[in-house]
Amino acid sequence: QHNPHFKRGRTTIVHLFEWRWSDIAAECERFLAPKGFGGVQISPPNEHIVLDQPWRPWWQRYQPISYDLCSRSGSEEEFKDMIIRCNNVGVNIYVDAVINHMCGSGGGEGNHSSCGSWFSASKKDFPSVPYSAWDFSVNKCRTSSGDIENYGDIFQVRDCRLVSLLDLDLEKDYVRGKVAEYMNKLIDLGVAGFRVDACKHMWPGDLENVYGRLQNLNTTWFPRDSKPFIFQEVIDLGGEAISYTEYVHLGRVTEFKYGAKLGKVFRKWDEEKLFYTRTWGEGWSFMSDGNAVVFVDNHDNQRGHGAGGSSIITFWDSRLYKMAVGYMLAHPYGVTRVMSSYSWNRNFVNGKDQNDWMGPPSNTNGSTKSVSVNPDQTCGDGWVCEHRWRQITNMVIFRNVVNGQPQTNWWDNQSNQVAFGRGDRGFIYCFSTPSTLNVTLNTGMSGGTYCDVISGQKEGNNCTGKQILVSDDGHAHFKISNLDEDPFVAIHAESKI
Ligand code: QV4
Ligand code: CA
């Protein structure tokens, strides 16, 4: 379950947060497959609550009403079509599975749900699953509010309600069966695996039971006996009662230290310096390489939810962001995930964004807008599409080209300039300090002229960016200024001209 089942030597997942299924299908065909993306993490596809106060927040999708497949992203038909079209071009689909809970306890009663199913939060009645009051862990929770009040108490964290969300009792065979039935339906349709939401709030033993019920992947697109890829959301920045180590035997786990630390390094906070990343990975007390899913930011911490705090770098700091994502994609550690966001109207009052709830670009009736693509390949209508930024797309390709190669030829200036290679397949040089670099380094690559894939790219036999001349003994001269659009350079075997 640790294997993402990437096809054709691909390596990277993109989270198309809040995208419609029809847009994802088109994106697989027109962009993700040709650029070598391995898979897409999609927003939860199941039926969710629909809220007016605030108006259609993005987080309504983390409040399930049933496991029917109609959501803000589209209908079941559109969902099926997306899976087929993405699989047909070798791009995997990973579902965000919300299985710890249903909607909030204050969710009311009625048909305000994405497929129109009736439910009652107060009676804990969800007939479209069906779940009834017996299926929730109310009697196990010992706090007076019924909510998690103290993250130091592992029983509360697992058995009480996360921000009032009605907590499912996954110890029950019936609940385990319903959750597994939902996930198996998705496997049948052709998904490659799951991002499992809120795993810290579920007992590892319960998860083990649910995962044990899952079928192998659909053999129309995957080899026989392939188990679904599982990556579990557990926020562990160290020093908490619940540790990621309780989950790594079940599947991969999100490494939240990665983005928090990388943010500090590139922002130069806490006296961090880029050259300290010589031991990046396990050397920074991250989980072992084979267990980690890594990312610079996610849909929570890019807007102050979840964990990581203010050091997290997002598209709002675009220059820094490209460097951080570029570094991540060049470095061998972990399975990499790239964020693709929408923009919203941020409004900070006393350091808190009043609009952190705002949903995706929408029409007046609340339906999500389609993603439009501009002639220069960037997106419009409020969709940011970081994955289409040249520097990021080209580093996704870089990661595929160097896949399997060790980190080699490390160089640093004892401060904020570093460079390293990936065998003889690729080399990156980057700095995070206002300065100019003028240095000759051993790239480990074969002699020739390479096109820098950050300032441009190879197009036919031409290079639209800087050219890097590698001598026959592998050395190359790098001259970069902080005034350049991006203070980093990357070359790889397929950018040779
Ligand atoms: C509020 C109060 C409660 C109160 C309740 C009364 O906070 O104390 O009892 O009203 O009704 C939303 C609101 C939240 C509200 C809750 C229930 O933001 O204020 O409770 O709904 O109505 C997302 C959002 C949450 C949102 C949730 C459900 O981030 O704000 O809650 O969706 O809509 C921890 C966890 C980690 C989690 C992270 C955010 O360990 O697992 O917090 N991350 C995942 C997802 C995340 C999602 C959830 C889990 C829940 O990545 O996006 O939360 O599925 O660190
Ligand atoms: Ca729970």
Side-chain angles (χ1 to χ4, degrees):
Q1 274 141 322
H2 290 71
N3 178 353
H5 304 296
F6 290 134
K7 311 238 177 58
R8 312 179 196 179
R10 297 176 185 173
T11 58
T12 299
I13 299 171
V14 56
H15 182 193
L16 297 180
F17 178 51
E18 285 283 6
W19 280 44
R20 301 184 62 94
W21 309 145
S22 52
D23 288 327
I24 295 176
E27 190 72 353
C28 283
E29 294 168 343
R30 71 190 167 198
F31 193 83
L32 300 177
K35 299 296 185 186
F37 283 78
V40 182
Q41 178 185 322
I42 60 167
S43 285
N46 60 293
E47 183 173 25
H48 54 84
I49 199 167
V50 174
L51 295 169
D52 294 337
Q53 270 309 326
W55 178 256
R56 312 294 189 255
W58 62 269
W59 42 255
Q60 65 184 13
R61 299 189 67 174
Y62 290 90
Q63 302 200 26
I65 296 300
S66 81
Y67 301 129
D68 295 346
L69 297 176
C70 34
S71 66
R72 190 176 199 170
S73 287
S75 67
E76 177 160 359
E77 284 317 303
E78 291 166 317
F79 182 71
K80 289 178 177 165
D81 180 61
M82 167 189 74
I83 293 178
I84 293 170
R85 288 166 63 190
C86 291
N87 277 333
N88 283 347
V89 292
V91 178
N92 293 342
I93 298 290
Y94 305 103
V95 167
D96 195 344
V98 185
I99 59 175
N100 171 64
H101 51 262
M102 300 299 279
C103 69
S105 61
E109 182 173 301
N111 301 83
H112 48 296
S113 54
S114 54
C115 319
S117 299
W118 183 91
F119 68 98
S120 169
S122 44
K123 299 195 189 83
K124 302 188 193 64
D125 195 7
F126 298 88
S128 293
V129 180
Y131 286 138
S132 66
W134 307 105
D135 301 317
F136 295 85
S137 45
V138 210
N139 294 323
K140 291 184 177 168
C141 172
R142 300 284 164 76
T143 65
S144 52
S145 63
D147 292 341
I148 299 166
E149 294 171 0
N150 171 11
Y151 271 79
D153 175 349
I154 65 166
F155 294 93
Q156 283 188 29
V157 175
R158 266 70 176 258
D159 295 336
C160 296
R161 299 178 312 203
L162 166 63
V163 293
S164 95
L165 299 163
L166 296 172
D167 199 61
L168 286 166
D169 185 359
L170 280 159
E171 195 187 343
K172 284 190 65 177
D173 187 66
Y174 176 76
V175 176
R176 291 170 171 181
K178 280 293 161 188
V179 167
E181 181 185 298
Y182 165 54
M183 294 171 83
N184 279 329
K185 178 165 80 178
L186 297 166
I187 291 171
D188 267 342
L189 293 178
V191 309
F194 303 92
R195 176 248 186 208
V196 185
D197 182 66
C199 286
K200 183 191 283 184
H201 306 281
M202 296 181 278
W203 293 98
D206 292 344
L207 287 174
E208 185 165 7
N209 182 290
V210 169
Y211 300 161
R213 296 177 189 228
L214 301 182
Q215 305 158 181
N216 292 330
L217 298 183
N218 188 321
T219 52
T220 310
W221 295 290
F222 300 94
R224 294 207 146 274
D225 303 322
S226 304
K227 290 191 187 312
F229 179 47
I230 300 276
F231 65 109
Q232 307 168 96
E233 190 223 12
V234 179
I235 303 179
D236 179 1
L237 294 170
E240 264 198 66
I242 294 172
S243 158
Y244 73 85
T245 54
E246 298 172 47
Y247 295 88
V248 286
H249 63 294
L250 301 172
R252 287 194 184 240
V253 174
T254 50
E255 179 50 278
F256 276 84
K257 288 174 192 154
Y258 194 102
K261 290 288 187 193
L262 198 60
K264 287 188 175 168
V265 168
F266 277 97
R267 293 182 191 279
K268 300 192 269 302
W269 287 2
D270 296 354
E271 320 252 320
E272 290 291 2
K273 291 191 168 64
L274 196 51
F275 93 96
Y276 297 153
T277 65
R278 181 181 196 128
T279 55
W280 191 241
E282 286 103 342
W284 279 57
S285 80
F286 299 165
M287 61 188 76
S288 67
D289 177 29
N291 289 331
V293 169
V294 299
F295 44 93
V296 171
D297 62 331
N298 80 347
H299 71 283
D300 285 327
N301 63 23
Q302 71 169 201
R303 47 174 52 69
H305 286 237
S310 51
S311 74
I312 298 297
I313 304 175
T314 70
F315 71 87
W316 296 103
D317 292 307
S318 60
R319 192 167 188 257
L320 270 186
Y321 191 66
K322 292 168 198 165
M323 292 166 70
V325 174
Y327 187 94
M328 171 182 83
L329 291 168
H331 196 281
Y333 178 83
V335 165
T336 42
R337 178 179 65 188
V338 168
M339 182 69 201
S340 188
S341 318
Y342 58 81
S343 161
W344 71 98
N345 192 2
R346 286 202 303 186
N347 175 22
F348 286 104
V349 177
N350 297 326
K352 192 191 178 294
D353 177 14
Q354 302 303 301
N355 288 337
D356 66 353
W357 57 270
M358 280 190 169
S362 297
N363 303 302
T364 40
N365 67 2
S367 65
T368 301
K369 276 193 186 163
S370 232
V371 175
S372 59
V373 180
N374 302 321
D376 69 355
Q377 296 298 306
T378 60
C379 298
D381 275 328
W383 299 97
V384 180
C385 292
E386 296 92 311
H387 69 288
R388 280 175 169 263
W389 293 358
R390 182 190 66 239
Q391 299 86 339
I392 292 178
T393 313
N394 286 349
M395 286 306 295
V396 169
I397 296 171
F398 177 103
R399 190 175 190 78
N400 295 345
V401 173
V402 304
N403 194 15
Q405 298 290 322
Q407 192 181 29
T408 48
N409 293 307
W410 175 273
W411 170 87
D412 66 60
N413 72 343
Q414 303 272 303
S415 181
N416 282 304
Q417 302 184 357
V418 303
F420 61 87
R422 297 290 303 276
D424 60 359
R425 300 286 292 165
F427 192 78
I428 184 169
Y429 159 77
C430 94
F431 66 78
S432 66
T433 202
S435 66
T436 315
L437 173 93
N438 213 334
V439 72
T440 300
L441 301 172
N442 182 11
T443 65
M445 307 202 34
S446 65
T449 304
Y450 291 82
C451 185
D452 165 34
V453 299
I454 305 303
S455 55
Q457 59 210 357
K458 184 178 153 186
E459 279 171 16
N461 286 324
N462 298 325
C463 173
T464 60
K466 295 175 191 159
Q467 298 194 10
I468 305 289
L469 201 65
V470 175
S471 64
D472 286 339
D473 66 357
H475 284 71
H477 185 73
F478 292 89
K479 187 166 187 288
I480 313 174
S481 141
N482 195 46
L483 300 174
D484 287 349
E485 184 188 357
D486 300 294
F488 65 118
V489 165
I491 55 175
H492 58 70
E494 290 174 15
S495 79
K496 198 171 188 176
I497 47 179

